[in-house]
Amino acid sequence: MTSAASRPVAVALLASVFVVAACGLVYELAAGALASYVLGDSILQFSTIIGSYLFAMGVGSWLSRYFERQLPAHFLRIELLVALVGGALPAMLFIANAWTPDAFRLLLYGLVLLVGTLVGLEIPLVMRILKRDVALKDLVSQVLTFDYLGALAVSVAFPLLLVPHLGLVRTGLLFGFMNAAVALWALWLFRHELRQFGAHALACGLTLAVLAAGFVGADHITTLAEDRFYQDRAVFSEQTPYQRIVVTHGRAGHRLYLNGNLQFAEHDEYRYHEALVHPAMAAHGAPRKVAVLGGGDGMAVREILKYPTVEQVTLVELDPAMTRLFRDHAALAALNGQALRSPKVQVVNTDAFRWLEETREIYDVVVVDFPDPTNFSIGKLYTNSFYALLDRHLAASGYAVVQSTSPLLARQSFWTVVQTIESVGLRTAPYHAHVPSFGEWGFVLAGRRPWRAPPQLPEGLRFLDLAGVAALFDFPRDMARVPAEVNRLSNQVLVNLYEDEWGKAKP
């Protein structure tokens, strides 16, 4: 039974369990998110991070048996260590990726194991402290109830509220501050049991001060790391529920990065977007309805609007922050010629897979401009299931075009995309173009009728002419077709293949 005098202490410690559980899960989620941003393949990274973290928690729980005396003092010290290491984890990983990228993986798993071990010590110590005042049958149920409730609260808040509004660095520091607050609360609750009260109080004060300073300077930390990583000055950055968007500006103009991966560079993006759009649009003859899947920067839409026959363009982009940025940011909107403000353009912010399942519209041309298949959430957009849906919304005389990574550096991946599109009954015409920022880049044109070279192109193109279009479809021996497997939702072979080929291509 819990005595009346000890009841406030028990309630306070149970509330601390809620906070401790929430903080521990935040550090785990932050490590997984950063691992997926930097290392790719979110399923693999989250799986290994969670596995390592849970293993470390088990180690911490086992080690708790060696803490026999002065349990409140040990609990206080552990809370302060968790606050410092866990709270600073995102900031340290951001900085490591910018200055010592080769050491990122080692530091990532080292911090995960350290924080997991410390978090694994927390709950056993709290339970042993509470055991003095709470019956065992009530103790276990109450502690686990508050532990699970804390985990539930933060698992919902992390992607929907915390990361979009605070970013990863500030989110980590905020929850580090909460761990330190638990330590401060423990300092007050057990003030009569602590032998070195002054030293503990000083440690709490210093920890809170460090975390508060980090929280205030979080923007400077992020900017410093990103300027170093991207080489050019970051002029815009935002963490959305879907990705981290960074725009830099330097001698070569603006560059767009999503989760650290370059999407375009201002000085040569026209080569990519002209190659992406015009072989399909010009060959169609008179396209009226066009859909763009991905391509939230509006560059492909800019090229499409050069055709006077176009009456409607539907841009399907998952992240509303992308379309808002390239519609409202003056310098970036100038790059796409204010295309996203055209009355012909309708922007739909949703998942392209779901949109294809729900829409009944038929299009003359569909431009598929997704990021490369670096993880399974993007990889599903390169499967035969997706292309079968795409086929249903393509007019009988229509064409689709798919950006398909590099046929030189990721040759097997490129031809896997071709094989997958053909598996749903579409004819393909693969081609490639040289874009200095990316090197040789590949595209796949698909439709129910054979592709024929267009008789004319719009005026004002900077890269393509009629002779140049025909040359795009010629593949030299080192990029020629190789046998490939169909990429299916059930296996997603393309993601692992892509990661393997690009991993070998990096210096």
Side-chain angles (χ1 to χ4, degrees), residues 452-477:
R452 295 288 184 266
Q456 63 181 18
L457 293 168
E459 296 181 358
L461 300 189
R462 300 169 60 189
F463 169 50
L464 286 182
D465 55 25
L466 290 177
V469 170
L472 299 179
F473 292 81
D474 180 33
F475 281 81
R477 294 181 62 183

Side-chain angles (χ1 to χ4, degrees), residues 248-493:
T248 66
H249 188 267
R251 292 181 178 178
H254 292 89
R255 296 175 188 260
L256 170 67
Y257 295 87
L258 300 180
N259 293 339
N261 297 309
L262 179 66
Q263 303 302 304
F264 76 74
E266 181 180 347
H267 74 283
D268 61 9
E269 59 80 15
Y270 67 93
R271 295 177 68 95
Y272 173 90
H273 290 104
E274 287 184 13
L276 173 69
V277 168
H278 296 296
M281 288 288 292
H284 183 279
R288 294 187 304 107
K289 292 179 63 176
V290 182
V292 180
L293 310 184
D297 53 41
M299 307 296 184
V301 176
R302 176 196 67 202
E303 298 301 318
I304 290 167
L305 291 175
K306 292 177 180 178
Y307 291 81
T309 60
V310 171
E311 299 172 1
Q312 176 189 331
V313 182
T314 303
L315 172 61
V316 183
E317 164 62 49
L318 176 63
D319 195 344
M322 273 289 291
T323 48
R324 185 171 57 247
L325 174 64
F326 281 87
R327 182 196 64 203
D328 298 338
H329 190 289
L332 299 178
L335 293 181
N336 63 40
Q338 309 293 332
L340 300 187
R341 293 186 177 275
S342 169
K344 294 182 179 182
V345 177
Q346 177 192 15
V347 176
V348 180
N349 293 123
T350 190
D351 177 77
F353 205 113
R354 181 183 302 173
W355 180 79
L356 284 176
E357 289 178 324
E358 297 174 352
T359 188
R360 296 183 179 181
E361 297 290 333
I362 303 297
Y363 292 91
D364 299 311
V365 175
V366 180
V367 177
V368 183
D369 191 19
F370 297 129
D372 278 3
T374 54
N375 58 59
F376 292 107
S377 62
I378 301 175
K380 71 177 184 179
L381 304 174
Y382 288 82
T383 61
N384 61 341
S385 299
F386 179 83
Y387 296 132
L389 285 173
L390 180 62
D391 182 30
R392 282 165 42 186
H393 299 285
L394 199 60
S397 61
Y399 290 118
V401 60
V402 181
Q403 90 79 15
S404 308
T405 197
S406 171
L408 179 63
L409 299 178
R411 185 178 179 182
Q412 191 79 41
S413 299
F414 175 80
W415 292 106
T416 295
V417 176
V418 177
Q419 182 70 30
T420 303
I421 294 173
E422 290 176 348
S423 73
V424 303
L426 290 170
R427 300 187 180 198
T428 64
Y431 64 101
H432 63 100
H434 183 73
V435 182
S437 293
F438 301 115
E440 287 295 328
W441 210 254
F443 310 86
V444 183
L445 203 151
R448 298 193 189 101
R449 59 169 172 152
W451 179 82
R452 295 288 184 266
Q456 63 181 18
L457 293 168
E459 296 181 358
L461 300 189
R462 300 169 60 189
F463 169 50
L464 286 182
D465 55 25
L466 290 177
V469 170
L472 299 179
F473 292 81
D474 180 33
F475 281 81
R477 294 181 62 183
D478 58 353
M479 294 191 289
R481 186 159 190 165
V482 292
E485 190 176 346
V486 174
N487 186 45
R488 306 176 189 276
L489 270 177
S490 58
N491 59 24
Q492 291 227 33
V493 295

